[in-house]
Every structure is written in C-alpha cells, then in structure tokens.
Amino acid sequence: MRCYRAHVLVCAGSACVTLGCHPVKEAILEGIKRHRLEEEIKVVETGCMGFCEQGPLIVVYPEGVMYCRVQAEDAAVIVSEHLLKGRVVERLLYRDTDTNKPIPFMKDQPSLSKQIKVAMRNAGFINPEDIEEYIANEGYFALAKVLSGMSPEAVINEIKDSGLRGRGGAGFLTGSKWEFTNKAQGAQKYVVCNGDEGVPGVFMDRSILEGDPHSVIEAMAIAGYAIGADQGYVYVRAEYPLAVEKLRHAINQAREYGFLGYNILGTGFSFELNIRVGAGAFVCGEETALLASIEGRRGTPKPRPPFPANKGLWGAPTLINNVETLASIPPIILKGSDWYASMGTEKSKGTKVFALTGRIKRPGLIEVPMGMPLREIIYDIGGGVLNNKKLKAVLAGGPVGGFIPADYLDVSMDYESVAELGTLIGSGSLSVIDEDTCVVDLVKFFMEFSCEESCGKCTPCREGLKRMLEILTRVTEGKGQERDIEDLERLSDFIKNTALCGLGQAAPSPVLSMLRYFRPEFEAHIRDKHCPASVCAALLDSPCQSA
Amino acid sequence: MAEVTLTIDGVQVTVPKSTTVLDAAENVGIIIPTLCYDPELSKPGACRMCVVEIPGMRNLPASCVTEAADGMVVYTASPAVIKARKTNLELLLANHPADCLNCHKSGECRLQQYAYNYGVDFGAFAGEKHRYPIEDDNPFLVRDLNKCIMCGKCVQACEEIQANSAISVAYRGFDAKVTPAMDYPLSTTEYSNCVFCGNCVAVCPTGALTEKQMLGKGRRWEVEKVRTTCPYCGVGCTFDLNVMNGKVIGVTSTDGDVNGRALCVKGRFGAGFIHHPDRLKTPLIKENGAFMEATWDEAISLVAEKLVGLKKKYGPDAIGVLSSARCTNEENYLMSKFTRAVIGTNNIDHCARL
Ligand SMILES: Cc1cc2nc3c(=O)[nH]c(=O)nc-3n(C[C@H](O)[C@H](O)[C@H](O)COP(=O)(O)O)c2cc1C
Ligand code: SF4
Ligand code: SF4
Ligand code: SF4
Ligand code: FES
C-alpha cells in the first residue's frame, strides 16, 4: 500500500452530494495536480459524516481539520494554504453557534464529544468503495472469528448477552430473534436486511449503507451462519439510489475477496446476497409487508403470528433485521458482549443513533449510549434550540410517535423510560419543536402522512385515520366542535387497539400525546377559536398578531 | 394431536392446538361477528370486526387469526369489545350509501345485520364518502364499490377458488379499492381476464357485488330457494334456484358437496332458458318436412324402431353414438352400456373429444 502525507476526506453522503460535493472534489484534485502533490496527498470520498447541514464537508488528515460549506471556489485556497503550506483556512472552519469561535478539529466538535460510535464507526471515515479500507478497520475480522471457531449457538449467545435490541423500531431482543430463527424448522432459510427507512427525518440507515456497506454485508453473513441461511436480501428504499449503488459495489467486492459466495474463507459456509429495491411505501418497512414486496406482491402487512422467524420469505424461516442493528453486530463479536452491555441502561444496552432535526442548532446524526438524558442530547450535542427560542417539546418517533414536552427533558433515552411518556425511541427520530410551533397544526400534518401511507387493508386505519384527519383539519380551520375532542379520543383508542399492523396502531400516537400534554392548546382551538402559537391562519384574531 | 383448554366468556372449551379463538368460540355456540373471515379462504385479518379481549395481550386481537392457547381467557363481548365493534361499524357506515331501502342485498347483508345487532346507524362521522361510478356494463354482475367494505373476499375468491386473479387491490389508504388490471371495468377484454364466474359475488358480504339479472326482481326474504344440480355439465355443481312467484329469477351459490360455492358463468348466470318462450318442452318429430310436437313415448318408440331397422340392415357397427359432456357421469355410463350391450357396437364417444 502506498503512503500519503495527507488524506482529504470529502463527505459524499446524499446530502453533501445534493449540496455539490463533487465539483468541490474535482476542484481539489485539480489544485493538487497543479501543485504536483498527487504523490503526497490522497482524496477519498466517504459516506455521510453526520453534519449534513454544514455540507459540503471536507476533513483533512492527519490533523483532522474540518472545513464546512466548502464551495468549488474554496478548493484552490485549501490546496495552496493547507495542503501546501500547512496553514489552516480559518474562514472555512466550523464556528461555535454561541461564541462564534472557530473549531478547527473534527474531534473537538461539541457534537462529537459525548458520542460513542459503534454502528456508525466507519461511516464518514473510510472510503465505502474500497473494501481494503474496511478491512484495515477490522472489517471482516468478526466474520473470520465466527467462521473459524464459534458455533452458531455461541454466536447467538454472544448477541443475546450483549442485550442488543432491534433498532428498526420495535426494540425486540436481537439475540432472541436469531435464536427463534435458528430453531425454526426449514431446509431453506433467509436473512433479510430492512433498509426501507420510511420515517421522515431519519437517515442513519442510509448513512450506514452509503458510508459503510460492508458492515451490513459482514453482519448478514454472520447472521446467515448463526441461523443456518445461505441466502440474504437487502431491501433498500427506491429513494436511496446512492445507497443501492454503494451496496452493489460492496457486494461485488466482498464476493471477489471471498467474503460472500461459495465456501467463504474455505470454511465450507456459503452465503449469497441480493438487493431488492422498494417501491416507496412507508408500510413496506413493516416486516410482513416487506417480505410480500420482495416476493413481488402488493406490500401489505399480514397478521402475526406466524412470525417471519417461522414463516417468512416464501414461507421459509426468515430473520429480518434493521440496518443499524446489523451494523452493530461485528463490533459485538470482536469486542465481546460485555463491552457492548457496559453501555446503556439495564434493559436498553449499547448505543443508539438518533437523527436530530427540527429547530435545533446542530442537526444531524449522532450516536450515544442509551440512557443519555434528552437534555444532554439536545443542548450539549445539538447545541440547543435554534435562535435561542424556548423549547416546547421534542417529538420522538416521527409522525407516528409522540411528544416529550420541555418539562420532561431529563428523561433517560431508553426504550422503557420513553415509553412511559407515551412515545417511543422508534427508529431514532428526534425533532425539536419551539414555542412558535402549533401542536395541533403539526399533529394534523402527521395525520396527513399516516393517511397517505396507510395501506388500506384494515378498517380501523383505512377509515379511522381519514376521519381523524377530517376532524383535525376542521379544528385548525376554526370549525371544531366540542364533540370533536371525544371523537378524536374514541377513534385514537379504537385504531390503536384494533389496527392490523404497527402503522395503524401507532398512527394515533401524536394525537394522544397532544391530548396528554397540550390539551389546553387544542381546546383553545375549539372553544376560543384561538391558535395560541399563531400558526393556524383561520384562527388569528388580527393580522398584526401574526406579525 | 395436542389439545389446549381455554375459557371463553366463562365457558371452558378444549380444542386441538392451532384452532383459532373464533373457531373455539363457535364450538361452544358463541358466534363472533366476522366480515373478512371465510373458512374456505385465506385469512387476511383485515376487517377487525372479530376482535376480542384477552387479558395479558396487547390491544384487542382479531379472533379469526389468534390461536387458542392453554389457559387463555377470552371475552368476546366485554364493554371494550362492544365499543370497538360499534366504532368499526360506524366507520364503515360513515363511508357507505344509506340506501338499504333499495339495495338488493338487504336482508342478507352482513353490514346491515351487524348494524342492527349493535344498534349502530349511519352518520356517526361526517366527512368524505366514496363516489365511484357504478360498473354495470357487463350482462352478469354489477359492481357498486361505494358499498364495498374492503373485506378482500372477492379478491381471494378470484385468486384462490377461481385461480384467475382478475381483480386485486389498487391505491392506498382511504382510496384503496378492488379493481381489475389498470382500473378498467371487468368487461375490458384487453386488460381484464374476468370469466364472469361470479364467485366473487357469492362471497361478497354486502351489496357491492350483485347478480345483475336478479336486481329488482325480488327481496332476499321473499325468494324461495330450491336446491338443484346444474344441468350444464357433467361436474354436477349444486346451486339454489331463486324462485319468486313460481318463476326462477336467478341462481345463487349454496354449499354443494361437489363444488362448494363455486360455479361457472353458465351455471350462475345461464338460467334464462328456463322461462324462455323458445324453449323446447316436448320432443319434435319431422313429418312432411315440418317439425310436429310429439309425446316422449312416440319419440322414443320412433328412435328405437329406426335403430333396430338400421342394425338389422347394416349390422351394429353401422351405428355410432356421440354422448355429451353436459350429461352426468351416470348418464354417460348408461349411454355406454346401451351402445355396447343393447346396440352391440364399440362406436361410442362424446363431444369433449371433438
Ligand atoms: C409501519 C412500519 C414501518 C416500519 N418501517 C421500518 C423501516 O423502515 N426500517 C426498519 O428497519 N424497520 C421498520 N419497521 C419495523 C420492522 O417491522 C421490523 O420490526 C424490523 O425491521 C426488525 O428489525 P430489528 O429487530 O433489527 O429492528 C417498521 C414497522 C412498521 C409497523
Ligand atoms: S394498520 Fe394501516 S397500514 Fe397497517 S394493515 Fe391496517 S390499513 Fe394497512
Ligand atoms: S367473476 Fe369470477 S373471474 Fe371475474 S372477478 Fe369475479 S371471481 Fe374473478
Ligand atoms: S366487493 Fe364485496 S367482497 Fe369484494 S372487498 Fe368489497 S365488500 Fe368485500
Ligand atoms: S373476521 Fe377477523 S379480522 Fe375480519
């Protein structure tokens, strides 16, 4: 391998691509050529670094200096100043949102100091298109360890002991799921990776698939060995073309290097992997709908049991895990379950990736030990509310989640504590809402989402959500009636208790959460025909009020 | 086979393992309402009418897809269950035309029946209703999707009984609806492979699918049902003639030993000949170039006489017999016997080989 004096990492996650990282990269390459530095400096495209809002991003190693919002015009100065003369270009540095002081080094980023990266360990640090960079970071070591000396039972026990729970939303113990699938009877079994990632605002799965596809491939091969499957599918949503491209490339490389295919590492274990591209429905992330979609059927959920572990893809026992769940597997195998279980709380172990969005100073992807108080996540990592507005609530779980009001900001971010507040960790969406947001309007917006995404199979979700949306629309238009409160409660209760799948069961959550924490605000819309946050246009008393 | 014992509404019941709660309840005479469940079809668990309360289970599970377990306690009519079923019906009715007065299915409609049982009316929720055009451009069935409750039984009947998959669900959420390919009418031969067997009509619990020829000819409760065997072919499907004032107005499925509820287009929709003015009711004998009505005795004697004459003159092998696939097995057997034993030839075949 050749040695370089410096590496320039260009973030090429979807967001940075949109913001124009490729012209920047070209300009840097050109500058390097002009100064004849090709032999000394290597430019590498990485996956998402997690600071999307600051993109296009560039990090120069060995120092680890991070440049933000770099434009093609800036490339020349980065090359001539930094790469040639070793002088940091101050105007392109990230600035602290409060003090405005520049923060040159990536490691000093306030948002990074409290993070521990496990699932996201490689994304943004290695070139996802080069399998050797993955291998150099202990990639495929876990697979080798498993295949060369661990029994399937030992692998399953390691995962069970780690306490890892499914990161796709439900939080089911991963090791137990592997065990069920291992014990299920069937000549053919499958491993499926759920990369549908349909909750708006979350993109950790995309980041991992784009930035570190080999971690998912390696984990799926390990899972195949543990449950006795020789075939796997990665289901990726159609809106993630870059992820599909990187994954396809990585699968081919893994095949070339003998980590996939027949007789892997000469151990007699064989495993093949294919990609299936989704068709743009949130409900296809639900596991039974996802499997129907892979089979080429309309992606609608089926009653469970039977669970996929017993009757999944084409009726065969199938293990289905989320991208982030899988990406956490290789480090657990290598570092041991004790290491993983030492992070987190008693029942929620390890780390979780959250997507910070909404009215927050430093939005992006973060990975923290479970159980971190929400306050630390929002203020220490996220930098607090944008424009120093007052925090009203944090919405957890996206449009099918619920509010964590400002008063509960000290809640420990683990599955149990968050559930007690009537919401869920879900896939890790945390959206900050400030005092200018009308909860009723927001909840109506979420209900629109759920109505759109309902598959229409079961009565409660198909007919019930529609009526809930109509009521919420009426209320925001100033046409709400007293009985609407009762109807909303009744419908929420009914849909939550009787809908066929998790979408319908969770869709009323924002309404229930609003009625639990922001009832006066909701009632004001109906009784006083007044929108306290001055958002609902029909309920503004005078034009000046909305100014 | 292993058995499980559970308690349903205070009654202990023992059933084989993997029996559903719905079936277990039926074993002890507790009938749980269902809209999408059909013992002959796969179970989508879609309508959520059959929900019950099982302490320890999250939510109200659908009994048609919940397996009975040992020690399980089930309440099929607790206040929570009744409330859920009422809301379910209210939602269905909120999106349903209020025209039971003129609906052909009235009296045999599940939705109407449950609305009555649970004391639920139209109009609990105001809002958008479907306004689909009524599809009646084919001679056999009328599809009024405004009355459809999306139970999915028609789709399953078409796929699982008729093995035709002419219809499926298209669109999502509130807009989801059962359609032939590309949302064209069933009669569009370029896109639709519907064979108009009407097996979808037979399973539809509401007035969304009805037999066109019977519309307006009689209310369900006025019609007398006469069980018979289809005359069209040797399969011998059983069905009910629907008789009104001594006249057959149409055919509906019953639970036949041979065919269950399945029928083909001829059996289900081809009863028009019964009262047709052109229908032959007596044998005809041609005399002097014109057909004249005759009695069966006259006709059979004439045929026998001619056959005997031919056989005498030319030998038995001069005679050939062609039987019909529309005859029953027994009739074809008799024909074969008659040909070989009475006429004395092996020259017998039937039309299905042509
Ligand atoms: C409506 C709905 C959407 C879902 N979407 C996703 C998704 O996009 N990604 C995902 O991993 N899991 C999703 N899930 C959860 C999956 O059904 C399943 O629990 C998960 O993929 C299992 O993997 P895990 O145990 O690793 O979390 C969804 C569930 C529901 C009900
Ligand atoms: S709850 Fe909604 S999304 Fe789920 S099966 Fe029912 S209609 Fe489909
Ligand atoms: S009439 Fe027969 S073929 Fe046509 S849609 Fe109905 S079940 Fe299918
Ligand atoms: S047309 Fe009838 S059988 Fe088909 S889904 Fe609608 S109500 Fe059910
Ligand atoms: S009858 Fe059980 S869900 Fe429809």
Side-chain angles (χ1 to χ4, degrees), chain A residues 9 60 87 170 203 263 333:
Chain A
L9 269 52
V60 182
R87 290 199 288 245
F203 49 103
N263 196 12
I333 296 287

Side-chain angles (χ1 to χ4, degrees), chain A residues 157-466:
Chain A
N157 283 335
E158 196 68 43
I159 304 300
K160 270 173 91 173
D161 293 344
S162 76
L164 173 66
R165 293 167 67 168
R167 303 295 191 228
F172 192 81
L173 276 169
T174 306
S176 303
K177 205 191 257 188
W178 287 30
E179 190 171 34
F180 292 145
T181 325
N182 168 291
K183 293 207 168 124
Q185 296 298 316
Q188 173 75 56
K189 294 183 185 179
Y190 297 101
V191 178
V192 171
C193 168
N194 189 340
D196 195 53
E197 192 156 65
V199 173
V202 297
F203 49 103
M204 57 284 281
D205 293 352
R206 184 185 76 196
S207 276
I208 293 170
L209 289 172
E210 285 177 4
D212 192 20
H214 286 289
S215 67
V216 174
I217 298 172
E218 180 177 7
M220 288 181 78
I222 294 173
Y225 174 75
I227 66 154
D230 62 0
Q231 174 70 52
Y233 290 93
V234 189
Y235 189 89
V236 188
R237 63 186 309 213
E239 293 85 342
Y240 287 178
L242 194 60
V244 173
E245 187 191 311
K246 303 271 166 172
L247 189 61
R248 190 162 285 144
H249 183 82
I251 289 176
N252 288 337
Q253 270 191 335
R255 247 183 230 136
E256 265 168 43
Y257 277 69
F259 297 126
L260 279 180
Y262 178 69
N263 196 12
I264 295 172
L265 301 173
T267 58
F269 171 67
S270 302
F271 190 73
E272 253 315 326
L273 204 52
N274 281 293
I275 302 176
R276 285 288 180 274
V277 177
F282 173 49
V283 74
C284 282
E286 194 281 335
E287 55 189 25
T288 58
L290 184 146
L291 296 177
S293 178
I294 294 183
E295 290 171 2
R297 295 174 155 266
R298 180 175 160 92
T300 52
K302 286 197 198 92
R304 297 174 307 174
F307 286 94
N310 290 310
K311 269 184 105 176
L313 205 51
W314 293 293
T318 303
L319 172 74
I320 170 159
N321 271 134
N322 163 263
V323 171
E324 186 188 333
T325 315
L326 288 167
S328 308
I329 299 283
I332 293 177
I333 296 287
L334 283 181
K335 298 189 187 170
S337 51
D338 290 347
W339 161 77
Y340 194 76
S342 69
M343 298 178 282
T345 67
E346 196 199 330
K347 287 185 173 164
S348 304
K349 304 285 188 200
T351 58
K352 170 83 192 97
V353 182
F354 289 99
L356 297 184
T357 57
R359 315 292 294 161
I360 191 158
K361 284 188 186 153
R362 289 194 288 265
L365 290 179
I366 62 153
E367 184 167 359
V368 294
M370 296 211 84
M372 180 177 278
L374 181 56
R375 188 182 299 282
E376 276 180 42
I377 294 181
I378 300 300
Y379 287 96
D380 299 350
I381 299 179
V385 184
L386 210 59
N387 302 328
N388 294 322
K389 290 264 181 184
K390 211 170 129 213
L391 182 98
K392 186 165 185 173
V394 176
L395 180 89
V400 295
F403 299 102
I404 301 177
D407 291 349
Y408 295 84
L409 221 48
D410 290 312
V411 60
S412 142
M413 291 305 283
D414 60 74
Y415 289 102
E416 287 70 29
S417 312
V418 174
E420 267 172 40
L421 297 181
T423 179
L424 73 171
I425 295 273
S427 48
S429 157
L430 291 176
S431 180
V432 173
I433 291 158
D434 68 13
E435 53 195 329
D436 294 339
T437 311
C438 167
V439 200
V440 189
D441 184 64
L442 193 65
V443 164
K444 182 193 88 178
F445 175 71
F446 294 153
M447 195 50 72
E448 274 167 16
F449 172 84
S450 295
C451 273
E452 284 275 294
E453 297 298 334
S454 160
C455 80
K457 178 170 176 173
C458 75
T459 309
C461 176
R462 182 186 66 245
E463 308 287 337
L465 295 183
K466 172 83 176 174

Side-chain angles (χ1 to χ4, degrees), chain B residues 37-354:
Chain B
Y37 167 80
D38 188 302
E40 272 182 71
L41 303 172
S42 59
K43 306 182 185 85
C47 74
R48 316 312 276 183
M49 219 14 230
C50 68
V51 291
V52 292
E53 192 173 335
I54 301 178
M57 273 206 189
R58 213 164 51 100
N59 304 340
L60 300 175
S63 60
C64 69
V65 288
T66 303
E67 265 184 32
D70 228 5
M72 192 181 244
V73 177
V74 181
Y75 300 100
T76 72
S78 67
V81 169
I82 302 292
K83 191 172 163 203
R85 290 198 191 132
K86 279 189 168 179
T87 308
N88 192 321
L89 288 166
E90 280 174 350
L91 284 169
L92 288 174
L93 290 175
N95 186 16
H96 197 92
D99 71 354
C100 294
L101 287 182
N102 284 302
C103 182
H104 181 64
K105 209 53 178 272
S106 188
E108 232 175 43
C109 169
R110 287 251 176 142
L111 188 57
Q112 192 186 44
Q113 181 63 43
Y114 294 148
Y116 177 83
N117 292 352
Y118 289 90
V120 171
D121 213 337
F122 296 98
F125 299 101
E128 188 185 332
K129 281 186 173 198
H130 291 314
R131 292 197 188 284
Y132 297 126
I134 294 173
E135 182 183 322
D136 62 351
D137 62 341
N138 69 76
F140 308 109
L141 51 98
V142 177
R143 296 201 322 141
D144 179 356
L145 293 188
N146 302 302
K147 294 181 183 171
C148 171
I149 55 164
M150 289 296 290
C151 69
K153 281 185 190 174
C154 53
V155 176
Q156 291 172 57
C158 193
E159 180 176 336
E160 296 167 20
I161 296 181
Q162 189 61 19
N164 203 19
S165 300
I167 46 177
S168 184
V169 177
Y171 310 108
R172 281 210 297 239
F174 190 73
D175 298 327
K177 71 175 199 183
V178 175
T179 75
M182 306 300 160
D183 206 356
Y184 280 100
L186 285 173
S187 59
T188 319
T189 45
E190 299 95 296
Y191 294 105
S192 158
N193 58 338
C194 174
V195 295
F196 295 103
C197 62
N199 290 324
C200 50
V201 183
V203 296
C204 181
T206 70
L209 299 176
T210 46
E211 301 88 349
K212 189 172 188 176
Q213 61 192 15
M214 282 203 274
L215 295 185
K217 300 238 175 78
R219 308 306 310 232
R220 293 304 229 213
W221 55 88
E222 297 171 317
V223 167
E224 185 196 349
K225 293 199 169 174
V226 180
R227 182 162 303 194
T228 189
T229 303
C230 177
Y232 275 109
C233 86
V235 173
C237 295
T238 309
F239 58 55
D240 281 341
L241 289 171
N242 285 221
V243 182
M244 180 79 184
N245 301 327
K247 288 214 156 171
V248 176
I249 59 167
V251 163
T252 49
S253 288
T254 178
D255 196 14
D257 287 340
V258 179
N259 59 314
R261 285 165 300 180
L263 293 171
C264 79
V265 62
K266 291 179 289 179
R268 189 182 306 278
F269 297 115
F273 69 89
I274 297 175
H275 301 294
H276 201 281
D278 292 347
R279 178 176 173 185
L280 287 181
K281 290 177 182 149
T282 64
L284 301 176
I285 295 175
K286 206 181 228 177
E287 281 169 17
N288 303 323
F291 281 115
M292 308 297 287
E293 284 192 3
T295 66
W296 281 108
D297 274 350
E298 286 167 350
I300 288 169
S301 300
L302 178 68
V303 171
E305 196 181 290
K306 296 269 183 184
L307 283 176
V308 169
L310 286 170
K311 183 176 163 181
K312 263 196 189 139
K313 195 164 170 194
Y314 302 106
D317 284 340
I319 301 171
V321 173
L322 199 59
S323 180
S324 167
R326 283 178 52 171
C327 296
T328 62
N329 265 348
E330 292 81 352
E331 288 162 340
N332 275 319
Y333 174 78
L334 283 175
M335 207 63 184
S336 165
K337 200 85 182 162
F338 171 77
T339 311
R340 295 179 215 268
V342 180
I343 298 179
T345 178
N346 286 326
N347 293 340
I348 174 152
D349 211 332
H350 73 109
C351 67
R353 294 224 310 188
L354 286 181

